[in-house]
Amino acid sequence: MKAFSYERVSDPAQAAVRAAEVPGAKFIAGGTNLLDLMKHEIEIPEHLIDVSGTGLDDITPTDEGGLRIGALVSNAALSADARIRKDYAVLSRALVSGASGQLRNKATTGGNLLQRTRCPYFYDTGMPCNKRSPGAGCAALGDGATSRQLGVIGTSEACIATHPSDMAVALRVLDAEVETVTSSGETRRLTLDEFYQLPGDTPEIENALQAGEMVTAVRLPPPVEGRHAYYKVRDRASYAFALVSVALIKAPDGTGRVALGGVAPKPWRRAEADALLPQGASAVMARLLDGARPTHENAYKLTLAERTLAALLAQE
């Protein structure tokens, strides 16, 4: 790990100002992903701004009838919150399916949104990776590459990595918004679709945050009635990232919403696919995964996603 300087701040706006002022600065709170990346020298921040004392650790009602989740609320606390378990069960279920109990105690809402891909070539500094080193190339698309865990849709010629979060998939199906503060003190609210960027020719740009901008909260809209479900298919029963995950909210009249994880560089959802839910899993997936470009190793994800949704729909 390279040497770095360190400071603690107590105010989110102050943190954003400092991050914009100091070249090579990064925010840190739980550190469950960033410290790993620093040890591998994938992330080499020159300065760390510790935001764990900024007081963003509450879950509070909003005037719109939803909830505001502070960026420092731990994944464990969020999944156990009675309001989340009762009214946003898809989120609680997604959270408990991710990581280990110890990690969920340290991992934060803001950090979960910003965690980096688990593409093996991103972590192997001996291999070319456009996300880690722009312009270097993509080893995952080379001859003989292992792409079984990687993306099938929303990818590009420069990158086929997937976004690793379970929480973000549930937030996508809930129509949550990400709240931020910029270095000029402005507060912004972005949908998950606006927040996450597709790789295109610039896979190193993963989200819409500006220089110094800090995630301060996630805002949930009023509860969505219906059956909430989240199912994650993975190589082992715990502490593994999704091969495919499905977040589902199904209303009593058969309408609903579907989002996928493990298949794309962002939580994947299309409104036109939601509209086909009364027609069943095949119809939804035909639209949701229209335009997919799987490799020979990960084409199984198309079938796996459809069967996972079909299994959830059959649980009534």
Side-chain angles (χ1 to χ4, degrees):
M1 184 185 292
K2 302 288 188 182
F4 56 88
S5 54
Y6 171 89
E7 70 175 309
R8 299 192 71 182
V9 297
S10 58
D11 178 74
Q14 177 194 7
V17 169
R18 289 293 294 151
E21 286 177 344
V22 183
K26 288 275 186 182
F27 300 120
I28 189 167
T32 56
N33 187 209
L34 179 59
L35 289 178
D36 277 346
L37 295 168
M38 291 172 65
K39 291 173 185 174
H40 288 283
E41 297 188 354
I42 296 165
E43 295 268 14
I44 310 175
E46 297 180 16
H47 184 73
L48 288 184
I49 301 170
D50 185 340
V51 296
S52 59
T54 52
L56 300 171
D57 52 2
D58 289 332
I59 304 173
T60 54
T62 67
D63 292 341
E64 295 87 2
L67 293 174
R68 181 180 184 274
I69 304 163
L72 297 175
V73 174
S74 73
N75 287 183
L78 184 57
S79 65
D81 186 274
R83 295 163 292 183
I84 298 296
R85 296 180 64 184
K86 175 178 178 291
D87 294 328
Y88 304 94
V90 65
L91 176 56
S92 181
R93 289 168 182 163
L95 285 161
V96 297
S97 75
S100 64
Q102 293 94 330
L103 284 170
R104 291 196 294 272
N105 285 335
K106 290 295 293 181
T108 63
T109 299
N112 194 312
L113 289 171
L114 295 170
Q115 63 180 306
R116 309 295 302 276
T117 181
R118 262 59 179 187
C119 174
Y121 299 105
F122 176 73
Y123 277 81
D124 185 348
T125 55
M127 303 295 284
C129 172
N130 288 319
K131 185 181 288 295
R132 174 170 27 83
S133 303
C138 177
L141 290 169
D143 292 339
T146 298
S147 55
R148 177 175 173 272
Q149 294 181 310
L150 301 178
V152 297
I153 195 163
T155 58
S156 72
E157 296 297 326
C159 183
I160 61 170
T162 56
H163 183 70
S165 171
D166 294 294
M167 182 191 80
V169 182
L171 294 177
R172 183 80 176 89
V173 86
L174 286 167
D175 284 338
E177 291 182 325
V178 181
E179 181 185 298
T180 71
V181 61
T182 70
S183 59
S184 62
E186 177 191 4
T187 297
R188 293 207 299 162
R189 287 166 62 167
L190 304 165
T191 67
L192 268 288
D193 194 38
E194 294 168 337
F195 183 75
Y196 290 116
Q197 307 292 296
L198 292 178
D201 295 329
T202 55
E204 74 278 12
I205 301 173
E206 298 176 345
N207 57 62
L209 292 177
Q210 303 167 3
E213 189 170 9
M214 176 181 162
V215 173
T216 51
V218 167
R219 300 181 73 96
L220 297 177
V224 181
E225 292 186 4
R227 182 169 68 92
H228 288 215
Y230 186 82
Y231 195 81
K232 177 178 178 179
V233 182
R234 47 191 162 177
D235 282 330
R236 58 177 185 267
S238 67
Y239 195 39
F241 294 93
L243 298 172
V244 166
S245 66
V246 176
L248 168 71
I249 301 176
K250 186 180 178 188
D253 64 1
T255 62
R257 309 171 180 183
V258 179
L260 297 180
V263 300
K266 62 197 291 187
W268 196 251
R269 182 182 170 203
R270 285 172 168 165
E272 58 268 35
D274 289 349
L276 298 173
L277 191 60
Q279 299 180 32
S282 296
V284 171
M285 288 302 165
R287 185 66 193 94
L288 191 54
L289 295 173
D290 183 31
R293 302 189 310 165
T295 69
H296 72 282
E297 281 196 346
N298 66 18
Y300 74 93
K301 288 192 175 190
L302 306 181
T303 303
L304 184 60
E306 180 181 328
R307 290 182 179 177
T308 304
L309 176 59
L312 286 178
L313 293 175
Q315 293 173 7
E316 297 183 286

